[in-house]
Amino acid sequence: MSWPAGRPAPVVLLDLDGTLTDSYPGIAASARAAYTALGLPVPDDATLRTFVGPPITGSFAAHGVPADRLTEAVAAYRVHFRAGGMWDNRVYDGIDDQLRTLRAAGARLAVATSKPEVFAQPICERFGLAAHLEGVFGAPLDHVPSTKADVIARALDALGATAPVGRVVMVGDREHDVHGATAHGIACVGVGWGYASDGELVAAGAVEVVADVADLAARVLAHLG
């Protein structure tokens, strides 16, 4: 599949954590280190899985960190994350081939993640994802309100892309990916290998949930076609 000459190439925006990479081990270890540093009870593994995807400040606020200690928790988290947690991560098997297929079909690819951009960029470079991408767009680092819709807006602006139905697709594993895309009139294709709870993506309005990495490019192209 390819697009006719003169027709603008479609854009595929890709979440990072839980979509392209399995980053749970490093995120969970960094969160545990933060709770321990603050002397607070460490959430169980099932709760820590929900930390993958959303902004870390919101996850701490939702799981036992008092509002007046959120800054302290984020700082402790980032000490551990910078020291090595960010590299306790891997690209899901088959993702590289799927990105190559999308590029070969003429799609423009970019990452749009709630992870701070200062971490997302080197992670994409270290794990070989950057070679497939026209840009890596993430959240600001500290204390600046940012939603997934904000990140998507910046990505679209930087890419010079508009978002009529069928010309831009978001791919993500959590409900905030869907909500951020919906804010711009963009369809979101959910992925079933990430960290969403059962039914989360469908309830949020994902146009479909792809169960197998091997089917990702074909399903995204179908929604762009």
PDB file of all heavy atoms in Angstrom, residues 130-164:
ATOM      1  N   ALA A 130      14.613   5.914  16.810  1.00  0.00           N
ATOM      2  CA  ALA A 130      14.712   7.253  16.219  1.00  0.00           C
ATOM      3  C   ALA A 130      14.917   7.209  14.713  1.00  0.00           C
ATOM      4  O   ALA A 130      14.486   8.111  13.994  1.00  0.00           O
ATOM      5  CB  ALA A 130      15.838   8.042  16.874  1.00  0.00           C
ATOM      6  N   ALA A 131      15.548   6.144  14.211  1.00  0.00           N
ATOM      7  CA  ALA A 131      15.813   6.038  12.771  1.00  0.00           C
ATOM      8  C   ALA A 131      14.529   5.979  11.954  1.00  0.00           C
ATOM      9  O   ALA A 131      14.530   6.299  10.765  1.00  0.00           O
ATOM     10  CB  ALA A 131      16.663   4.801  12.495  1.00  0.00           C
ATOM     11  N   HIS A 132      13.421   5.586  12.579  1.00  0.00           N
ATOM     12  CA  HIS A 132      12.149   5.472  11.873  1.00  0.00           C
ATOM     13  C   HIS A 132      11.300   6.745  11.984  1.00  0.00           C
ATOM     14  O   HIS A 132      10.255   6.836  11.334  1.00  0.00           O
ATOM     15  CB  HIS A 132      11.320   4.321  12.453  1.00  0.00           C
ATOM     16  CG  HIS A 132      11.996   2.989  12.412  1.00  0.00           C
ATOM     17  ND1 HIS A 132      12.261   2.327  11.231  1.00  0.00           N
ATOM     18  CD2 HIS A 132      12.462   2.187  13.401  1.00  0.00           C
ATOM     19  CE1 HIS A 132      12.855   1.171  11.499  1.00  0.00           C
ATOM     20  NE2 HIS A 132      12.989   1.076  12.805  1.00  0.00           N
ATOM     21  N   LEU A 133      11.727   7.687  12.810  1.00  0.00           N
ATOM     22  CA  LEU A 133      10.852   8.781  13.227  1.00  0.00           C
ATOM     23  C   LEU A 133      11.257  10.124  12.655  1.00  0.00           C
ATOM     24  O   LEU A 133      12.447  10.401  12.470  1.00  0.00           O
ATOM     25  CB  LEU A 133      10.861   8.884  14.753  1.00  0.00           C
ATOM     26  CG  LEU A 133      10.534   7.607  15.526  1.00  0.00           C
ATOM     27  CD1 LEU A 133      10.808   7.808  17.019  1.00  0.00           C
ATOM     28  CD2 LEU A 133       9.089   7.188  15.294  1.00  0.00           C
ATOM     29  N   GLU A 134      10.250  10.978  12.420  1.00  0.00           N
ATOM     30  CA  GLU A 134      10.518  12.361  12.048  1.00  0.00           C
ATOM     31  C   GLU A 134      10.618  13.264  13.275  1.00  0.00           C
ATOM     32  O   GLU A 134      11.054  14.408  13.162  1.00  0.00           O
ATOM     33  CB  GLU A 134       9.429  12.877  11.116  1.00  0.00           C
ATOM     34  CG  GLU A 134       9.467  12.244   9.744  1.00  0.00           C
ATOM     35  CD  GLU A 134       8.560  12.956   8.759  1.00  0.00           C
ATOM     36  OE1 GLU A 134       8.358  14.181   8.900  1.00  0.00           O
ATOM     37  OE2 GLU A 134       8.044  12.289   7.856  1.00  0.00           O
ATOM     38  N   GLY A 135      10.215  12.777  14.413  1.00  0.00           N
ATOM     39  CA  GLY A 135      10.309  13.572  15.618  1.00  0.00           C
ATOM     40  C   GLY A 135       9.903  12.777  16.833  1.00  0.00           C
ATOM     41  O   GLY A 135       9.215  11.758  16.736  1.00  0.00           O
ATOM     42  N   VAL A 136      10.372  13.229  17.990  1.00  0.00           N
ATOM     43  CA  VAL A 136       9.984  12.658  19.280  1.00  0.00           C
ATOM     44  C   VAL A 136       9.444  13.804  20.122  1.00  0.00           C
ATOM     45  O   VAL A 136      10.171  14.746  20.449  1.00  0.00           O
ATOM     46  CB  VAL A 136      11.171  11.980  19.989  1.00  0.00           C
ATOM     47  CG1 VAL A 136      10.753  11.477  21.375  1.00  0.00           C
ATOM     48  CG2 VAL A 136      11.719  10.839  19.144  1.00  0.00           C
ATOM     49  N   PHE A 137       8.171  13.723  20.476  1.00  0.00           N
ATOM     50  CA  PHE A 137       7.497  14.800  21.194  1.00  0.00           C
ATOM     51  C   PHE A 137       7.007  14.269  22.528  1.00  0.00           C
ATOM     52  O   PHE A 137       6.350  13.225  22.591  1.00  0.00           O
ATOM     53  CB  PHE A 137       6.336  15.349  20.358  1.00  0.00           C
ATOM     54  CG  PHE A 137       6.773  15.808  19.006  1.00  0.00           C
ATOM     55  CD1 PHE A 137       6.702  14.953  17.906  1.00  0.00           C
ATOM     56  CD2 PHE A 137       7.306  17.070  18.821  1.00  0.00           C
ATOM     57  CE1 PHE A 137       7.139  15.363  16.655  1.00  0.00           C
ATOM     58  CE2 PHE A 137       7.752  17.484  17.574  1.00  0.00           C
ATOM     59  CZ  PHE A 137       7.668  16.633  16.490  1.00  0.00           C
ATOM     60  N   GLY A 138       7.372  14.984  23.599  1.00  0.00           N
ATOM     61  CA  GLY A 138       6.993  14.552  24.929  1.00  0.00           C
ATOM     62  C   GLY A 138       6.584  15.726  25.790  1.00  0.00           C
ATOM     63  O   GLY A 138       6.458  16.866  25.326  1.00  0.00           O
ATOM     64  N   ALA A 139       6.396  15.441  27.057  1.00  0.00           N
ATOM     65  CA  ALA A 139       5.974  16.451  28.013  1.00  0.00           C
ATOM     66  C   ALA A 139       7.161  17.293  28.457  1.00  0.00           C
ATOM     67  O   ALA A 139       8.310  16.880  28.337  1.00  0.00           O
ATOM     68  CB  ALA A 139       5.334  15.767  29.222  1.00  0.00           C
ATOM     69  N   PRO A 140       6.891  18.481  28.997  1.00  0.00           N
ATOM     70  CA  PRO A 140       7.958  19.248  29.636  1.00  0.00           C
ATOM     71  C   PRO A 140       8.415  18.530  30.902  1.00  0.00           C
ATOM     72  O   PRO A 140       7.709  17.656  31.428  1.00  0.00           O
ATOM     73  CB  PRO A 140       7.292  20.595  29.957  1.00  0.00           C
ATOM     74  CG  PRO A 140       5.838  20.295  30.004  1.00  0.00           C
ATOM     75  CD  PRO A 140       5.605  19.168  29.033  1.00  0.00           C
ATOM     76  N   LEU A 141       9.569  18.885  31.413  1.00  0.00           N
ATOM     77  CA  LEU A 141      10.160  18.115  32.502  1.00  0.00           C
ATOM     78  C   LEU A 141       9.497  18.365  33.851  1.00  0.00           C
ATOM     79  O   LEU A 141       9.127  17.439  34.550  1.00  0.00           O
ATOM     80  CB  LEU A 141      11.659  18.407  32.599  1.00  0.00           C
ATOM     81  CG  LEU A 141      12.433  17.584  33.623  1.00  0.00           C
ATOM     82  CD1 LEU A 141      12.258  16.096  33.380  1.00  0.00           C
ATOM     83  CD2 LEU A 141      13.915  17.941  33.582  1.00  0.00           C
ATOM     84  N   ASP A 142       9.331  19.609  34.258  1.00  0.00           N
ATOM     85  CA  ASP A 142       8.929  19.857  35.636  1.00  0.00           C
ATOM     86  C   ASP A 142       7.805  20.858  35.774  1.00  0.00           C
ATOM     87  O   ASP A 142       7.885  21.977  35.259  1.00  0.00           O
ATOM     88  CB  ASP A 142      10.122  20.373  36.451  1.00  0.00           C
ATOM     89  CG  ASP A 142      11.141  19.286  36.735  1.00  0.00           C
ATOM     90  OD1 ASP A 142      10.732  18.217  37.203  1.00  0.00           O
ATOM     91  OD2 ASP A 142      12.328  19.523  36.474  1.00  0.00           O
ATOM     92  N   HIS A 143       6.771  20.443  36.501  1.00  0.00           N
ATOM     93  CA  HIS A 143       5.753  21.352  37.048  1.00  0.00           C
ATOM     94  C   HIS A 143       5.065  22.225  36.005  1.00  0.00           C
ATOM     95  O   HIS A 143       4.578  23.301  36.319  1.00  0.00           O
ATOM     96  CB  HIS A 143       6.363  22.240  38.144  1.00  0.00           C
ATOM     97  CG  HIS A 143       7.222  21.476  39.093  1.00  0.00           C
ATOM     98  ND1 HIS A 143       6.779  20.347  39.741  1.00  0.00           N
ATOM     99  CD2 HIS A 143       8.511  21.664  39.475  1.00  0.00           C
ATOM    100  CE1 HIS A 143       7.764  19.877  40.506  1.00  0.00           C
ATOM    101  NE2 HIS A 143       8.812  20.648  40.355  1.00  0.00           N
ATOM    102  N   VAL A 144       5.049  21.792  34.761  1.00  0.00           N
ATOM    103  CA  VAL A 144       4.299  22.507  33.720  1.00  0.00           C
ATOM    104  C   VAL A 144       3.141  21.605  33.320  1.00  0.00           C
ATOM    105  O   VAL A 144       3.368  20.492  32.841  1.00  0.00           O
ATOM    106  CB  VAL A 144       5.181  22.811  32.493  1.00  0.00           C
ATOM    107  CG1 VAL A 144       4.362  23.506  31.405  1.00  0.00           C
ATOM    108  CG2 VAL A 144       6.380  23.663  32.900  1.00  0.00           C
ATOM    109  N   PRO A 145       1.906  22.045  33.549  1.00  0.00           N
ATOM    110  CA  PRO A 145       0.770  21.176  33.200  1.00  0.00           C
ATOM    111  C   PRO A 145       0.842  20.750  31.735  1.00  0.00           C
ATOM    112  O   PRO A 145       1.069  21.564  30.844  1.00  0.00           O
ATOM    113  CB  PRO A 145      -0.445  22.070  33.468  1.00  0.00           C
ATOM    114  CG  PRO A 145       0.030  23.081  34.467  1.00  0.00           C
ATOM    115  CD  PRO A 145       1.474  23.332  34.111  1.00  0.00           C
ATOM    116  N   SER A 146       0.658  19.455  31.497  1.00  0.00           N
ATOM    117  CA  SER A 146       0.715  18.938  30.130  1.00  0.00           C
ATOM    118  C   SER A 146      -0.168  17.705  30.035  1.00  0.00           C
ATOM    119  O   SER A 146      -0.090  16.806  30.876  1.00  0.00           O
ATOM    120  CB  SER A 146       2.148  18.575  29.747  1.00  0.00           C
ATOM    121  OG  SER A 146       2.211  18.025  28.450  1.00  0.00           O
ATOM    122  N   THR A 147      -1.011  17.671  29.033  1.00  0.00           N
ATOM    123  CA  THR A 147      -1.848  16.512  28.763  1.00  0.00           C
ATOM    124  C   THR A 147      -1.379  15.849  27.481  1.00  0.00           C
ATOM    125  O   THR A 147      -0.574  16.405  26.727  1.00  0.00           O
ATOM    126  CB  THR A 147      -3.316  16.922  28.605  1.00  0.00           C
ATOM    127  OG1 THR A 147      -3.429  17.735  27.410  1.00  0.00           O
ATOM    128  CG2 THR A 147      -3.803  17.724  29.813  1.00  0.00           C
ATOM    129  N   LYS A 148      -1.919  14.665  27.196  1.00  0.00           N
ATOM    130  CA  LYS A 148      -1.580  14.005  25.932  1.00  0.00           C
ATOM    131  C   LYS A 148      -2.065  14.847  24.763  1.00  0.00           C
ATOM    132  O   LYS A 148      -1.398  14.911  23.717  1.00  0.00           O
ATOM    133  CB  LYS A 148      -2.203  12.607  25.891  1.00  0.00           C
ATOM    134  CG  LYS A 148      -1.633  11.707  24.795  1.00  0.00           C
ATOM    135  CD  LYS A 148      -0.125  11.552  24.950  1.00  0.00           C
ATOM    136  CE  LYS A 148       0.499  10.559  24.003  1.00  0.00           C
ATOM    137  NZ  LYS A 148       0.576   9.212  24.535  1.00  0.00           N
ATOM    138  N   ALA A 149      -3.198  15.522  24.925  1.00  0.00           N
ATOM    139  CA  ALA A 149      -3.683  16.405  23.861  1.00  0.00           C
ATOM    140  C   ALA A 149      -2.687  17.521  23.582  1.00  0.00           C
ATOM    141  O   ALA A 149      -2.491  17.920  22.423  1.00  0.00           O
ATOM    142  CB  ALA A 149      -5.043  16.986  24.240  1.00  0.00           C
ATOM    143  N   ASP A 150      -2.033  18.044  24.623  1.00  0.00           N
ATOM    144  CA  ASP A 150      -1.018  19.095  24.433  1.00  0.00           C
ATOM    145  C   ASP A 150       0.163  18.568  23.630  1.00  0.00           C
ATOM    146  O   ASP A 150       0.688  19.243  22.735  1.00  0.00           O
ATOM    147  CB  ASP A 150      -0.519  19.613  25.789  1.00  0.00           C
ATOM    148  CG  ASP A 150      -1.584  20.323  26.592  1.00  0.00           C
ATOM    149  OD1 ASP A 150      -2.504  20.904  25.986  1.00  0.00           O
ATOM    150  OD2 ASP A 150      -1.496  20.293  27.835  1.00  0.00           O
ATOM    151  N   VAL A 151       0.601  17.356  23.971  1.00  0.00           N
ATOM    152  CA  VAL A 151       1.739  16.758  23.260  1.00  0.00           C
ATOM    153  C   VAL A 151       1.383  16.531  21.796  1.00  0.00           C
ATOM    154  O   VAL A 151       2.177  16.823  20.887  1.00  0.00           O
ATOM    155  CB  VAL A 151       2.161  15.435  23.931  1.00  0.00           C
ATOM    156  CG1 VAL A 151       3.239  14.735  23.100  1.00  0.00           C
ATOM    157  CG2 VAL A 151       2.665  15.687  25.349  1.00  0.00           C
ATOM    158  N   ILE A 152       0.188  16.014  21.545  1.00  0.00           N
ATOM    159  CA  ILE A 152      -0.253  15.772  20.174  1.00  0.00           C
ATOM    160  C   ILE A 152      -0.332  17.081  19.396  1.00  0.00           C
ATOM    161  O   ILE A 152       0.084  17.151  18.226  1.00  0.00           O
ATOM    162  CB  ILE A 152      -1.607  15.038  20.163  1.00  0.00           C
ATOM    163  CG1 ILE A 152      -1.410  13.600  20.670  1.00  0.00           C
ATOM    164  CG2 ILE A 152      -2.221  15.030  18.759  1.00  0.00           C
ATOM    165  CD1 ILE A 152      -2.702  12.843  20.882  1.00  0.00           C
ATOM    166  N   ALA A 153      -0.834  18.125  20.031  1.00  0.00           N
ATOM    167  CA  ALA A 153      -0.923  19.425  19.360  1.00  0.00           C
ATOM    168  C   ALA A 153       0.454  19.908  18.922  1.00  0.00           C
ATOM    169  O   ALA A 153       0.625  20.416  17.803  1.00  0.00           O
ATOM    170  CB  ALA A 153      -1.576  20.450  20.287  1.00  0.00           C
ATOM    171  N   ARG A 154       1.433  19.740  19.789  1.00  0.00           N
ATOM    172  CA  ARG A 154       2.793  20.193  19.446  1.00  0.00           C
ATOM    173  C   ARG A 154       3.380  19.345  18.329  1.00  0.00           C
ATOM    174  O   ARG A 154       4.076  19.853  17.437  1.00  0.00           O
ATOM    175  CB  ARG A 154       3.689  20.152  20.683  1.00  0.00           C
ATOM    176  CG  ARG A 154       4.947  21.004  20.529  1.00  0.00           C
ATOM    177  CD  ARG A 154       5.569  21.304  21.873  1.00  0.00           C
ATOM    178  NE  ARG A 154       6.026  20.106  22.528  1.00  0.00           N
ATOM    179  CZ  ARG A 154       7.195  19.522  22.262  1.00  0.00           C
ATOM    180  NH1 ARG A 154       8.001  20.026  21.328  1.00  0.00           N
ATOM    181  NH2 ARG A 154       7.560  18.447  22.901  1.00  0.00           N
ATOM    182  N   ALA A 155       3.106  18.042  18.359  1.00  0.00           N
ATOM    183  CA  ALA A 155       3.605  17.166  17.296  1.00  0.00           C
ATOM    184  C   ALA A 155       2.996  17.543  15.953  1.00  0.00           C
ATOM    185  O   ALA A 155       3.715  17.653  14.942  1.00  0.00           O
ATOM    186  CB  ALA A 155       3.288  15.710  17.634  1.00  0.00           C
ATOM    187  N   LEU A 156       1.694  17.758  15.920  1.00  0.00           N
ATOM    188  CA  LEU A 156       1.030  18.122  14.663  1.00  0.00           C
ATOM    189  C   LEU A 156       1.569  19.437  14.124  1.00  0.00           C
ATOM    190  O   LEU A 156       1.805  19.582  12.914  1.00  0.00           O
ATOM    191  CB  LEU A 156      -0.477  18.225  14.879  1.00  0.00           C
ATOM    192  CG  LEU A 156      -1.214  16.918  15.211  1.00  0.00           C
ATOM    193  CD1 LEU A 156      -2.668  17.214  15.548  1.00  0.00           C
ATOM    194  CD2 LEU A 156      -1.115  15.918  14.075  1.00  0.00           C
ATOM    195  N   ASP A 157       1.777  20.394  15.015  1.00  0.00           N
ATOM    196  CA  ASP A 157       2.293  21.697  14.588  1.00  0.00           C
ATOM    197  C   ASP A 157       3.706  21.570  14.030  1.00  0.00           C
ATOM    198  O   ASP A 157       4.024  22.121  12.969  1.00  0.00           O
ATOM    199  CB  ASP A 157       2.261  22.667  15.766  1.00  0.00           C
ATOM    200  CG  ASP A 157       2.732  24.052  15.378  1.00  0.00           C
ATOM    201  OD1 ASP A 157       2.064  24.701  14.547  1.00  0.00           O
ATOM    202  OD2 ASP A 157       3.771  24.508  15.895  1.00  0.00           O
ATOM    203  N   ALA A 158       4.564  20.835  14.730  1.00  0.00           N
ATOM    204  CA  ALA A 158       5.949  20.682  14.287  1.00  0.00           C
ATOM    205  C   ALA A 158       6.048  19.929  12.960  1.00  0.00           C
ATOM    206  O   ALA A 158       6.941  20.208  12.144  1.00  0.00           O
ATOM    207  CB  ALA A 158       6.766  19.961  15.357  1.00  0.00           C
ATOM    208  N   LEU A 159       5.145  18.990  12.753  1.00  0.00           N
ATOM    209  CA  LEU A 159       5.160  18.194  11.524  1.00  0.00           C
ATOM    210  C   LEU A 159       4.433  18.887  10.377  1.00  0.00           C
ATOM    211  O   LEU A 159       4.440  18.399   9.246  1.00  0.00           O
ATOM    212  CB  LEU A 159       4.521  16.829  11.775  1.00  0.00           C
ATOM    213  CG  LEU A 159       5.263  15.902  12.737  1.00  0.00           C
ATOM    214  CD1 LEU A 159       4.388  14.719  13.112  1.00  0.00           C
ATOM    215  CD2 LEU A 159       6.582  15.431  12.145  1.00  0.00           C
ATOM    216  N   GLY A 160       3.786  20.013  10.676  1.00  0.00           N
ATOM    217  CA  GLY A 160       3.006  20.702   9.651  1.00  0.00           C
ATOM    218  C   GLY A 160       1.840  19.859   9.192  1.00  0.00           C
ATOM    219  O   GLY A 160       1.433  19.914   8.028  1.00  0.00           O
ATOM    220  N   ALA A 161       1.289  19.070  10.113  1.00  0.00           N
ATOM    221  CA  ALA A 161       0.225  18.125   9.763  1.00  0.00           C
ATOM    222  C   ALA A 161      -1.121  18.653  10.232  1.00  0.00           C
ATOM    223  O   ALA A 161      -1.230  19.295  11.266  1.00  0.00           O
ATOM    224  CB  ALA A 161       0.493  16.769  10.402  1.00  0.00           C
ATOM    225  N   THR A 162      -2.140  18.367   9.476  1.00  0.00           N
ATOM    226  CA  THR A 162      -3.507  18.613   9.900  1.00  0.00           C
ATOM    227  C   THR A 162      -4.145  17.268  10.199  1.00  0.00           C
ATOM    228  O   THR A 162      -3.606  16.223   9.855  1.00  0.00           O
ATOM    229  CB  THR A 162      -4.311  19.345   8.815  1.00  0.00           C
ATOM    230  OG1 THR A 162      -4.254  18.574   7.601  1.00  0.00           O
ATOM    231  CG2 THR A 162      -3.721  20.727   8.560  1.00  0.00           C
ATOM    232  N   ALA A 163      -5.297  17.317  10.829  1.00  0.00           N
ATOM    233  CA  ALA A 163      -5.856  16.059  11.302  1.00  0.00           C
ATOM    234  C   ALA A 163      -7.282  15.790  10.832  1.00  0.00           C
ATOM    235  O   ALA A 163      -8.159  15.527  11.626  1.00  0.00           O
ATOM    236  CB  ALA A 163      -5.803  16.039  12.823  1.00  0.00           C
ATOM    237  N   PRO A 164      -7.549  15.875   9.520  1.00  0.00           N
ATOM    238  CA  PRO A 164      -8.863  15.425   9.076  1.00  0.00           C
ATOM    239  C   PRO A 164      -8.996  13.929   9.283  1.00  0.00           C
ATOM    240  O   PRO A 164      -7.997  13.215   9.371  1.00  0.00           O
ATOM    241  CB  PRO A 164      -8.864  15.776   7.582  1.00  0.00           C
ATOM    242  CG  PRO A 164      -7.429  15.745   7.199  1.00  0.00           C
ATOM    243  CD  PRO A 164      -6.678  16.253   8.407  1.00  0.00           C
TER     244      PRO A 164
END
